[in-house]
Amino acid sequence: MSWLIALSDFFLYVVLAFLAGDVVLRCVTPEKKPLVEVPKKLVLSALALIPLLLAPPVIQLVLLLSESFGLMQAVVDVATEFRAGQSYVFGVLMAVAWLVVVWRDGSWGFRAFWLALSVLNVAYASHAASIADWQGFAGHALHFLALVLWAGVLIHIAWFLRDGRNWRAFLKWFTPFSVAMMVILIGSGIWLMLFFVAPEDYASSWILPYGQLLLLKHLGIVPLLLAAFINAALSRSDVPNRSWLKVESWLLMLVLLITAFMSKLAPPHNINETFRMEGSAPFVEWFAGPQYLPVHAVWTPNIDAFLMMAIGLILLGFQWLSYRKQLPEWLSFIFGLGFVAATYTGLMFSFLF
């Protein structure tokens, strides 16, 4: 059921980002944004999905406890004593209140209020909050807020654009806005990572499923940043390049998907102990052979590793070249995936564990 919970988290991130984009664009004057048309029914449908997307981890916990305490007692205990249950109850109430605001065409301020509470609710139920109390809660809330604000505007512009008018005026505020959100994302992401992985254990954590996904997430950010740079700085047209906006949104979805699956794995507070309990991640033995305790990554440069990382850089160059030559957007996305795969392989070849 863990894969189902991870997928529900992924779609929850997408839904909240979509709703955040609606909030941001509503506070921007018409002359500073292109024409974006999002049906009201779609916003209402997104809000209606929130209780369903919050449910899988709660259902899993209820089923687990019901074996010992019975179904009704398990429901009561989860709703009152566990973060996941408390977050679910609060999340459902917020979704209903937010839905009423949208149904009655409420103001931007009310929508922003419920968005902020939803972000805080997600942070409250996070690993970081359960491990590091208020510091983890604050770090996750800041990280998630920056993510949904930036991603939400991107989703609306890439997929719901109807007229590219005012594009240059839009970029004048959205470019510094997205840069600020990215700085917050990277800074808060490093802060959160330090709760789970010590800097000196970063490479050693790659032997574990969590560490593997953390590495893939970090690599996935590189082609995403390149696509964002192309859309913000290199595109000099007075009309948006919707193909490249979609490439950026696809790469963003990839990072969100990895994040969702990573959040359902045990963080490597103690790498040796986690390895003893879970074993090594898939493909690790293929890259580095059988693994034994204690785990300690040692950098061992070799020609295979350098060749794979060189291929990764070439594929990243092809991603930029595909913009210059106006190649199909799906090909640019494939080049981004190729960079992640090749660089990942090169890094795994570079270490002995």
Side-chain angles (χ1 to χ4, degrees), residues 16-74:
L16 288 177
F18 169 75
L19 294 169
D22 174 69
V23 171
V24 173
L25 290 175
R26 281 180 178 274
C27 75
V28 179
T29 57
E31 63 270 14
K32 292 185 178 180
K33 62 183 178 183
L35 179 61
V36 175
E37 294 181 352
V38 179
K40 181 178 177 180
K41 289 183 179 179
L42 188 58
V43 179
L44 293 172
S45 299
L47 288 164
L49 282 174
I50 290 178
L52 297 177
L53 297 175
L54 287 171
V58 178
I59 294 173
Q60 183 187 45
L61 193 54
V62 167
L63 293 177
L64 181 64
L65 293 180
S66 65
E67 297 176 1
S68 302
F69 303 104
L71 181 60
M72 292 306 299
Q73 187 61 45

Side-chain angles (χ1 to χ4, degrees), residues 88-98 114:
Y88 179 77
V89 173
F90 195 41
V92 170
L93 293 175
M94 286 189 296
V96 171
W98 196 348
W114 293 115

Side-chain angles (χ1 to χ4, degrees), residues 161-231:
L161 187 71
R162 291 294 176 266
D163 190 321
R165 70 185 73 170
N166 306 320
W167 182 245
R168 302 307 300 177
F170 169 76
L171 288 181
K172 283 184 179 179
W173 70 263
F174 182 64
T175 298
F177 173 82
S178 57
V179 169
M181 294 301 101
M182 185 54 64
V183 169
I184 294 172
L185 271 170
I186 293 174
S188 58
I190 294 172
W191 183 19
L192 289 173
M193 187 183 73
L194 294 178
F195 292 138
F196 304 124
V197 184
E200 62 272 16
D201 292 333
Y202 179 61
S204 297
S205 72
W206 298 349
I207 195 175
L208 302 171
Y210 184 96
Q212 288 273 293
L213 289 177
L214 183 63
L215 173 61
L216 289 171
K217 177 182 177 179
H218 290 163
L219 292 175
I221 290 172
V222 177
L224 171 61
L225 289 178
L226 177 58
F229 176 74
I230 289 172
N231 282 325

Side-chain angles (χ1 to χ4, degrees), residues 111-336:
R111 297 175 192 232
F113 174 74
W114 293 115
L115 170 65
L117 286 185
S118 297
V119 169
L120 294 177
N121 189 47
V122 170
Y124 174 74
S126 67
H127 277 315
S130 61
I131 290 171
D133 296 326
W134 69 268
Q135 294 185 23
F137 169 75
H140 193 96
L142 188 63
H143 188 73
F144 191 65
L145 178 62
L147 172 65
V148 297
L149 291 178
W150 170 57
V153 177
L154 174 62
I155 290 170
H156 278 254
I157 297 298
W159 296 98
F160 299 99
L161 187 71
R162 291 294 176 266
D163 190 321
R165 70 185 73 170
N166 306 320
W167 182 245
R168 302 307 300 177
F170 169 76
L171 288 181
K172 283 184 179 179
W173 70 263
F174 182 64
T175 298
F177 173 82
S178 57
V179 169
M181 294 301 101
M182 185 54 64
V183 169
I184 294 172
L185 271 170
I186 293 174
S188 58
I190 294 172
W191 183 19
L192 289 173
M193 187 183 73
L194 294 178
F195 292 138
F196 304 124
V197 184
E200 62 272 16
D201 292 333
Y202 179 61
S204 297
S205 72
W206 298 349
I207 195 175
L208 302 171
Y210 184 96
Q212 288 273 293
L213 289 177
L214 183 63
L215 173 61
L216 289 171
K217 177 182 177 179
H218 290 163
L219 292 175
I221 290 172
V222 177
L224 171 61
L225 289 178
L226 177 58
F229 176 74
I230 289 172
N231 282 325
L234 297 185
S235 181
R236 300 296 182 182
S237 174
D238 289 333
V239 294
N241 187 329
R242 294 195 65 184
S243 294
W244 265 91
L245 289 168
K246 290 180 179 178
V247 170
E248 186 179 347
S249 68
W250 289 343
L251 291 168
L252 174 64
M253 296 302 166
L254 173 65
V255 174
L256 288 178
L257 183 63
I258 295 172
T259 302
F261 275 87
M262 189 175 70
S263 67
K264 300 308 166 189
L265 297 173
H269 308 294
N270 185 312
I271 291 175
N272 289 322
E273 185 62 28
T274 306
F275 176 71
R276 184 180 290 110
M277 295 175 61
E278 294 192 349
S280 60
F283 307 117
V284 167
E285 291 192 8
W286 187 82
F287 286 111
Q291 302 302 307
Y292 307 98
L293 292 171
V295 177
H296 180 65
V298 179
W299 184 47
T300 56
N302 58 81
I303 187 63
D304 292 337
F306 284 128
L307 283 175
M308 290 306 300
M309 285 190 279
I311 291 172
L313 291 175
I314 291 171
L315 289 170
L316 196 65
F318 282 165
Q319 184 185 348
W320 173 82
L321 188 64
S322 66
Y323 163 75
R324 302 292 297 179
K325 300 298 184 181
Q326 296 299 300
L327 299 178
E329 62 267 20
W330 63 266
L331 194 57
S332 304
F333 179 69
I334 294 299
F335 288 145

